Amino acid sequence: MNDIWSWERAADALPQLLSAFFEVTLLATVLGSAIAAVLGLVVAVVRRSAPALIARPVHWVMEFIRMTPVVIQLLFVYYAFTSWEPLWIGIGVLGIHYSTYMAEVYRSGIDNVPKGQWEAATALSLPRQRTWTRVVIPQALRTTVPALGTWVISMFKDTPFLFVITVPELVSAAENYGSRTFTYVEAFTLAGLIFLAASYPTSILVRKLEARLARY
């Protein structure tokens, strides 16, 4: 058993893995999620309210991004813009990629806003911008938050793909530790447990939030 697992090696690897988690993996998830949430909302509003001349090209671009693997997108941007910092390339690509999914979530929430709310805003002669910011978007967000949280968890679990553009995230830190010590079991086991410890409580929180919102 000692040949397979060593608590001493695990204790040695843990600080390096936690450093990679907090400095890269968590940072990429938080900033990437912020980009995805904001850009996704903009795309959803454009597709719902902009003229077809604008809405259709936006739709085609989003579909192209959504239907192509994020690994290909990471590698394309990495080699196309070699002077850019790989971490920021990763954050930007993850954010844009997941904005396409969040845009669909927002669009569904907007479509579920009762027709009477739109009619009431029109009857009150509310400006179009105010109708969106004060009436439509707040109601849409209330129903979309759980689904958005699910996509954030998915992005978190996709951060190991940053390995392909040399970003030292959690999994690559485990790989580096293994290559230095010629022992991989402890590092990859701990990496998996760190992912589990971060994603499982978040998924429970999302489910509870979804259940609470469903009661209102």
Side-chain angles (χ1 to χ4, degrees):
M1 179 65 180
N2 291 337
D3 293 335
I4 299 175
W5 178 269
S6 167
W7 288 106
E8 184 178 345
R9 291 195 296 265
D12 183 47
L14 185 59
Q16 301 170 51
L17 299 183
L18 289 176
S19 176
F21 173 74
F22 285 107
E23 294 178 9
V24 179
T25 299
L26 190 59
L27 176 67
T29 302
V30 172
L31 296 184
S33 298
I35 293 171
V38 174
L39 183 58
L41 181 58
V42 171
V43 169
V45 172
V46 168
R47 289 187 57 192
R48 184 67 168 72
S49 62
L53 188 63
I54 298 175
R56 285 180 183 173
V58 169
H59 170 69
W60 294 334
V61 171
M62 291 296 105
E63 285 295 299
F64 175 79
I65 294 173
R66 188 156 60 99
M67 297 300 176
T68 52
V70 68
V71 172
I72 299 298
Q73 296 167 17
L74 285 166
L75 289 171
F76 173 80
V77 178
Y78 177 69
Y79 287 114
F81 302 94
T82 55
S83 62
W84 292 9
E85 179 67 30
L87 176 58
W88 297 110
I89 289 176
I91 291 171
V93 170
L94 285 176
I96 293 172
H97 183 82
Y98 274 91
S99 72
T100 63
Y101 297 100
M102 291 190 180
E104 290 300 309
V105 174
Y106 285 127
R107 189 170 65 88
S108 176
I110 291 170
D111 290 342
N112 285 331
V113 173
K115 186 178 179 181
Q117 298 292 319
W118 295 88
E119 294 173 347
T122 302
L124 293 172
S125 300
L126 291 180
R128 190 174 186 82
Q129 181 181 356
R130 195 166 185 182
T131 298
W132 277 101
T133 58
R134 297 297 182 86
V135 179
V136 177
I137 291 178
Q139 294 186 63
L141 288 177
R142 192 164 142 263
T143 60
T144 58
V145 167
L148 295 176
T150 300
W151 285 118
V152 170
I153 295 172
S154 296
M155 182 190 296
F156 172 65
K157 292 188 292 185
D158 275 354
T159 53
F161 287 134
L162 298 180
F163 175 78
V164 301
I165 59 171
T166 71
V167 175
E169 43 69 54
L170 177 58
V171 173
S172 61
E175 170 70 23
N176 291 337
Y177 179 84
S179 65
R180 290 198 311 271
T181 62
F182 303 102
T183 54
Y184 293 88
V185 172
E186 293 85 0
F188 280 111
T189 300
L190 289 174
L193 290 174
I194 291 171
F195 270 106
L196 178 64
S199 61
Y200 185 65
T202 306
S203 66
I204 293 176
L205 180 62
V206 169
R207 287 199 295 269
K208 287 185 176 181
L209 180 60
E210 184 175 13
R212 176 172 293 185
L213 291 175
R215 293 199 296 266
Y216 295 100

